[in-house]
Amino acid sequence: MAVQSSAGNAIDNDEAQRVSPDCLASQNGGGPEITAPNFDHERVVFVQQASEKTSDGYVIYSLSEGSVSDGDKPFSLEVVQQQQLPEDLTEFVVDRLNLPPPHLRLPRNVHVVVSTRSGLRLAPDVYHIVLRPLLAAVGLQPGEGYGVTVTKNANTIRDFARELRTDANAGNATVILLSGDGGVVDMLNGLDHLAPASPAPSPPTIALLPLGTANALLHSLHKPHYSDTNTQPPPSPLVLALRTLLNGTPARLPTFRASFSPGAKLISAPLDPEHVVVVDAAKLDHGIQKETPVTHVLGAIVASYGFHASLVWESDTPAYRAHGDKRFGMAAAELLKVSHAYDAAVGVRRKGVGEGVFTRLRPAARDHGREEGEGEEWGRFNYVLMTLVSNLEKTFTISPAGRPLDGRLRLVHFGDVGGGKTMEIMMAAYREGAHVGMPEVGYEEVEEVRVTIAEEDPRWRKVCIDGSIVEVEQGGWMRVGREGTERLRVLI
Ligand SMILES: Nc1ncnc2c1ncn2[C@@H]1O[C@H](COP(=O)(O)OP(=O)(O)OP(=O)(O)O)[C@@H](O)[C@H]1O
């Protein structure tokens, strides 16, 4: 029934119309009857009227997703032409005159960025098998309608963003990111890096295709769609993302700034061996690392210290990465065995309170509730996390009050509650964020948070900004506050 595109084999508009009926007929034994297949509503990306002149009918584009473990390509774009459209698919019909959609046609400059190291490394396949044919179907060809950047190293996306930053036309850029959250943070910080073109361009727009491990931003943006009771089962994240690519509208992406004390360094894989500054592979099997001095990092998702930051850092080894999002659970089990309590002072600045006025949080002791205010200077925390989103994974709701793009920074924290209780709190987060009702857990909206770290061992001095890891000096600090400047827009 379906015409499946294959890797590197773009289906353009005409071809889709020409191929589909013949192919359908031959697959039906050459007979004239074309039986309408049963469409799974949740797999449909969009529907196009087949042709203005010759025939009525519709071309239905849907996504088929399989498992990566069966050895086949896990995705295929199915293209089916038929005369009658099932009623429940009418909502997906796109007027031919509106194609390509406004954010994908001139004067917009469209770029596709394929992040080859994201998640299970499926971004190149998704580009060739799904995105390229889909863009062709709406009239866009690589080289003419859009440019393609395939990452070669950890700096490719930042460099791409830096170039955009100097382009006075950057506000007209739509960047389709086939990556996880790291691609977004790379874009943000690349745009932040250099002096802007003069006059400063308006922010580019990104469209997210979730090819990372956690894809926190995409899951948080689409959270309301997952619980849409009209659709059983709900569409997959990739289907939602593709629908948004074709039908979405740009909205301001709220961001925060994490600033660091002198001596802080960003830890990442090196560009190539001669760029290595410090080697500190230790026993964590991270391989060779590059350490770059850093004053601040921009983020859109999460800044953390404690269990979350250690989990992101310690699960990011080649061995763990091979397990996809299971790597977090595996590394978590190891960390919980150690059950480290992080030696830190945490201050919060709440809404309506002036710059520099922080209230110090005192973490809960093992069997007691939270306190704040007077008392000892340092405390032992298991968890300190600031976020602009609701979900860190599709089903891991770290901040249940968060709504897509609400721009509110929320703090989740708890003290030295032990490994067992930490596990219990984390599991409650998988129940729609039930952890925030537990007595050990603090949860509130804040303007700014300052975390000062007393730890001696560098292993426990890592902080996480949207998946990037920064190590601060002993006695050093991280301050996290909302940003006023609009940096990026995102299709939603
Ligand atoms: N060829 C490459 N070599 C080295 N680094 C790369 C390469 N391609 C991409 N990267 C970097 O790898 C990182 C991948 O992060 P990304 O967030 O996209 O995936 P992830 O960590 O699996 O997902 P998530 O953050 O959603 O959990 C990005 O920062 C990107 O710049």
Side-chain angles (χ1 to χ4, degrees):
M1 285 270 158
V3 179
Q4 294 199 358
S5 70
S6 56
N9 182 19
I11 297 176
D12 63 27
N13 240 351
D14 292 331
E15 195 178 334
Q17 289 163 32
R18 182 162 34 82
V19 165
S20 296
D22 295 346
C23 185
L24 287 167
S26 68
Q27 288 182 14
N28 279 307
E33 278 299 304
I34 297 172
T35 327
N38 284 329
F39 277 101
D40 294 328
H41 181 280
E42 72 276 7
R43 293 197 296 115
V44 173
V45 176
F46 88 113
V47 177
Q48 205 178 20
Q49 280 188 316
S51 164
E52 285 166 341
K53 298 175 197 148
T54 50
S55 68
D56 293 320
Y58 300 87
V59 183
I60 300 162
Y61 293 82
S62 63
L63 186 72
S64 181
E65 292 170 85
S67 142
V68 275
S69 55
D70 58 16
D72 284 337
K73 297 291 182 199
F75 306 96
S76 61
L77 183 68
E78 299 183 348
V79 188
V80 171
Q81 180 168 355
Q82 63 182 63
Q83 295 298 311
Q84 301 294 323
L85 191 67
E87 204 172 304
D88 65 340
L89 299 191
T90 52
E91 63 177 296
F92 299 113
V93 177
V94 178
D95 187 340
R96 295 177 71 86
L97 297 175
N98 278 342
L99 291 177
H103 49 274
L104 297 179
R105 67 165 175 246
L106 288 171
R108 308 287 306 182
N109 295 317
V110 181
H111 306 267
V112 173
V113 175
V114 182
S115 177
T116 53
R117 285 279 173 89
S118 293
L120 292 173
R121 304 187 180 193
L122 294 170
D125 279 346
V126 170
Y127 169 65
H128 286 294
I129 299 170
V130 179
L131 182 63
R132 192 167 129 168
L134 201 64
L135 290 177
V138 301
L140 295 173
Q141 298 293 346
E144 298 161 23
Y146 60 95
V148 182
T149 299
V150 179
T151 61
K152 292 193 171 56
N153 56 55
N155 290 336
T156 308
I157 301 178
R158 277 180 191 239
D159 291 346
F160 168 84
R162 281 172 195 169
E163 260 182 53
L164 261 189
R165 178 71 168 156
T166 56
D167 178 356
N169 204 24
N172 272 333
T174 298
V175 182
I176 306 171
L177 269 181
L178 285 79
S179 83
D181 300 313
V184 181
V185 75
D186 287 344
M187 280 291 296
L188 271 176
N189 289 285
L191 287 165
D192 179 51
H193 194 261
L194 291 180
S198 185
S202 54
T205 297
I206 54 170
L208 300 173
L209 297 197
L211 274 305
T213 307
N215 305 301
L217 181 59
L218 182 118
H219 292 314
S220 298
L221 290 175
H222 287 296
K223 191 173 174 73
H225 298 117
Y226 293 134
S227 51
D228 180 357
T229 48
N230 294 329
T231 314
Q232 293 295 344
S236 73
L238 188 53
V239 168
L240 279 172
L242 292 169
R243 287 179 187 171
T244 305
L245 174 65
L246 297 181
N247 288 313
T249 47
R252 176 198 175 120
L253 179 68
T255 53
F256 63 78
R257 172 182 293 252
S259 315
F260 307 103
S261 51
K265 52 208 177 194
L266 186 68
I267 304 182
S268 56
L271 188 62
D272 49 50
E274 64 264 30
H275 285 84
V276 175
V277 178
V278 179
V279 176
D280 178 23
K283 50 190 178 287
L284 296 175
D285 193 28
H286 283 82
I288 298 169
Q289 299 147 25
K290 180 189 174 195
E291 301 187 348
T292 316
V294 65
T295 57
H296 70 276
V297 177
L298 299 176
I301 301 159
V302 66
S304 71
Y305 175 61
F307 179 75
H308 175 266
S310 294
L311 184 55
V312 173
W313 164 242
E314 303 210 355
S315 67
D316 197 3
T317 65
Y320 275 138
R321 267 192 172 267
H323 297 279
D325 60 4
K326 291 192 183 60
R327 71 181 158 111
F328 297 124
M330 296 163 78
E334 290 305 310
L335 268 173
L336 289 174
K337 278 187 213 157
V338 182
S339 185
H340 185 74
Y342 299 74
D343 196 358
V346 179
V348 295
R349 184 165 71 81
R350 299 191 167 107
K351 266 190 178 291
V353 176
E355 285 284 332
V357 181
F358 289 87
T359 302
R360 188 168 42 75
L361 294 181
R362 271 178 71 190
R366 274 174 197 259
D367 298 316
H368 299 93
R370 290 172 284 114
E371 294 173 47
E372 66 180 36
E374 300 304 313
E376 59 191 336
E377 180 66 21
W378 299 90
R380 292 272 174 182
F381 286 85
N382 280 160
Y383 207 84
V384 182
L385 181 145
M386 289 66 72
T387 183
L388 284 169
V389 303
S390 61
N391 280 55
L392 296 185
E393 297 168 34
K394 188 177 174 195
T395 56
F396 187 80
T397 307
I398 192 64
S399 174
R403 298 289 172 266
L405 304 175
D406 68 6
R408 296 174 175 210
L409 187 65
R410 292 184 170 89
L411 168 68
V412 181
H413 63 94
F414 53 90
D416 176 17
V417 297
K421 182 59 85 175
T422 297
M423 186 66 173
E424 220 181 284
I425 293 170
M426 294 293 100
M427 293 319 289
Y430 283 104
R431 297 192 304 276
E432 285 301 323
H435 62 295
V436 301
M438 295 172 74
E440 298 84 0
V441 179
Y443 180 50
E444 62 174 311
E445 187 180 341
V446 292
E447 278 296 306
E448 196 178 0
V449 176
R450 185 186 59 203
V451 183
T452 310
I453 300 170
E455 292 284 349
E456 198 177 323
D457 184 346
R459 180 178 182 188
W460 309 120
R461 281 192 264 119
K462 306 284 194 290
V463 300
C464 167
I465 316 296
D466 287 6
S468 294
I469 297 296
V470 172
E471 186 182 303
V472 301
E473 301 274 271
Q474 186 176 13
W477 48 261
M478 165 173 75
R479 276 171 79 150
V480 179
R482 291 186 305 135
E483 269 272 286
T485 313
E486 186 177 10
R487 306 272 175 177
L488 270 182
R489 291 179 189 154
V490 63
L491 276 188
I492 181 75

